[in-house]
Amino acid sequence: MTYRYKILSIDGGGIRGIIPALILAELEKCSGKSIAESFDLIAGTSTGGVLAMGLTKPHSRTPQRPQYSAADLVDLYCTQGKRIFQERFPGRVDEWLSNPKHSSKGKEAVFSEYLGETTLDQALTDIFVTSYDTQLRKPIFFTGNPNAEEHDNSLNFRRICSGFTMKQAAMATSAAPTFFEPYRMPTSHRDTPRGFYSLIDGAVYANNPTLLAALEARMDYRRRQEAAGVQAIEELYLPQILIVSLGTGALAHSYAYETVQKWGKLEWIQPFIHITFDGQSESVDSQLSSFLRAACTEQHYYRFQIDLDETHNAMDDTSEINIRRLKDLAYRMIEEQASALERLCQALDTNPRLAHRSEYIAV
């Protein structure tokens, strides 16, 4: 099967990003290609957005190649997790109730070291990273394509690129409410209150950004043809797209009726976040898998997800024992899904991806 477009989409999930990072390392190993070479679009929310940018950041000495492999990003979680999730008030649960749990300083320092001042338009393949503005009350999409920008205030979203860096996008998409403070990002865009965006984690509306990525792919496919001067523009349909969606683990914690019926605002805060993020991820998977099963005769959609138990639930548990557990879960999924991964590697190897937008423009 020849696919016209290939999408990689990565869920949010904090430190549990180790799971999709290890899956991607396995894909790079079996395909012999970098993830940036294998896909036309890499979408991500929160930790998935950080992975998207890490995988597409050009190398400082050989800019045609990525700076980091997926295995390098596994190492990022293992070695820098404690710096990213730096507790503001260790052991002070009372302070967590009225302040973000973690300081953003450690996270910003790590993203500065790994992403530097690389701009979004330098991404080796197109990226699509989600965030949300608390002042505009609109989704903000970070893209690697300046031609895709839309920040007219009449729209119910904004898609931005020019003048912004991967580090800024990483800070924004990972600013999970209650965990981190919103990210203040200066901008010259008109109709932006007070001259800056107030950005939080895109997981508040798209913890699993796969459906959004599929819609973005259709628009991107059209833009590439227009940039190449194609006269008869062709539309891109879902059955023509290879979609790979990576979860960070489905939360299996059960909340008994007898317990939750007595809860008020305070008790619901963290469970509500987990239920919302997890429910949104799995509903997108259900919609896509049902639609593609009905519309396609061959496999176009791969979803790699694994159930978690209570010991893996936390998005910010960076203890050595939890990191080891998360890695074990990922290795178990790789073993259990070996045949699916092999089929996927074959699909990625036998179907060259689209030329990047810069290659079209150069024609």
Side-chain angles (χ1 to χ4, degrees):
M1 174 68 191
T2 299
Y3 305 101
R4 291 191 177 185
Y5 202 100
K6 289 179 279 189
I7 296 171
L8 170 64
S9 175
I10 314 170
D11 288 13
I15 195 65
R16 302 199 314 263
I18 288 174
I19 295 172
L22 280 166
I23 298 294
L24 293 171
E26 184 68 16
L27 283 179
E28 286 190 332
K29 180 181 176 182
C30 73
S31 70
K33 297 190 295 185
S34 71
I35 296 300
E37 290 178 277
S38 298
F39 293 92
D40 299 292
L41 176 68
I42 303 179
T45 290
S46 194
T47 196
V50 175
L51 284 171
M53 288 176 286
L55 293 163
T56 59
K57 179 185 183 295
H59 197 285
S60 56
R61 293 189 298 274
T62 53
Q64 299 80 18
R65 302 288 300 169
Q67 177 84 39
Y68 306 112
S69 67
D72 292 330
L73 298 180
V74 173
D75 186 65
L76 163 66
Y77 287 106
C78 296
T79 62
Q80 305 299 325
K82 290 187 184 300
R83 291 178 66 198
I84 293 171
F85 293 100
Q86 191 177 95
E87 287 197 13
R88 191 187 297 265
F89 305 103
R92 292 286 304 277
V93 177
D94 57 323
E95 293 288 354
W96 299 351
L97 300 178
S98 56
N99 295 277
K101 184 177 180 181
H102 301 286
S103 167
S104 295
K105 291 180 180 179
K107 181 176 71 163
E108 186 163 15
V110 171
F111 292 164
S112 293
E113 291 170 16
Y114 276 77
L115 299 174
E117 294 304 311
T118 306
T119 54
L120 292 169
D121 60 3
Q122 291 178 276
L124 292 176
T125 194
D126 284 338
I127 54 176
F128 183 83
V129 175
T130 66
S131 186
Y132 187 85
D133 188 278
T134 65
Q135 298 177 140
L136 290 169
R137 293 298 300 269
K138 293 181 179 183
I140 306 295
F141 306 134
F142 291 93
T143 175
N145 187 352
N147 296 325
E149 286 192 281
E150 294 183 276
H151 39 79
D152 188 323
N153 206 41
S154 64
L155 299 172
N156 59 6
F157 69 93
R158 290 193 178 187
R159 190 187 295 109
I160 61 177
C161 174
S162 300
F164 299 109
T165 66
M166 288 186 172
K167 172 195 162 184
Q168 288 176 313
M171 290 295 293
T173 195
S174 62
T178 76
F179 289 93
F180 293 103
E181 65 190 49
Y183 181 60
R184 186 182 189 276
M185 189 175 77
T187 180
S188 59
H189 291 165
R190 294 180 302 168
D191 301 319
T192 303
R194 303 167 66 189
F196 63 88
Y197 287 109
S198 171
L199 300 172
I200 61 173
D201 194 333
V204 296
Y205 65 91
N207 195 54
N208 176 348
T210 310
L211 272 177
L212 289 172
L215 295 172
E216 180 68 15
R218 294 194 66 190
M219 292 185 283
D220 182 52
Y221 190 73
R222 186 180 185 88
R223 284 192 295 262
R224 293 186 190 208
Q225 293 178 82
E226 291 171 347
V230 175
Q231 297 300 311
I233 301 294
E234 296 181 355
E235 295 296 329
L236 181 69
Y237 300 101
L238 273 179
Q240 298 168 321
I241 307 173
L242 174 66
I243 303 174
V244 180
S245 177
L246 304 182
T248 59
L251 304 182
H253 183 83
S254 176
Y255 299 100
Y257 168 77
E258 292 78 12
T259 300
V260 300
Q261 73 171 136
K262 302 173 185 177
W263 281 359
K265 293 179 182 179
L266 189 62
E267 291 87 356
W268 266 112
I269 293 174
Q270 284 301 321
F272 181 78
I273 290 173
H274 290 309
I275 290 170
T276 301
F277 289 5
D278 194 49
Q280 192 273 344
S281 288
E282 301 317 314
S283 65
V284 168
D285 175 42
S286 174
Q287 292 163 356
L288 264 177
S289 58
S290 297
F291 179 84
L292 288 171
R293 273 199 305 268
C296 304
T297 57
E298 298 188 44
Q299 185 164 4
H300 291 255
Y301 173 62
Y302 292 81
R303 172 72 170 170
F304 295 96
Q305 178 69 301
I306 194 164
D307 288 337
L308 303 173
D309 59 35
E310 290 186 40
T311 60
H312 312 92
N313 274 359
M315 294 190 292
D316 58 346
D317 183 354
T318 59
S319 64
E320 290 184 16
I321 189 168
N322 190 56
I323 286 176
R324 187 163 61 249
R325 287 169 178 161
L326 292 172
K327 291 172 77 171
D328 287 344
L329 278 175
Y331 291 134
R332 192 180 85 197
M333 181 162 56
I334 289 170
E335 184 177 354
E336 292 174 351
Q337 299 291 327
S339 59
L341 285 166
E342 185 176 351
R343 290 195 305 273
L344 176 56
C345 283
Q346 290 172 352
L348 294 173
D349 188 51
T350 57
N351 292 274
R353 73 172 185 86
L354 289 171
H356 191 264
R357 61 179 179 276
S358 61
E359 297 171 59
Y360 272 116
I361 293 169
V363 172

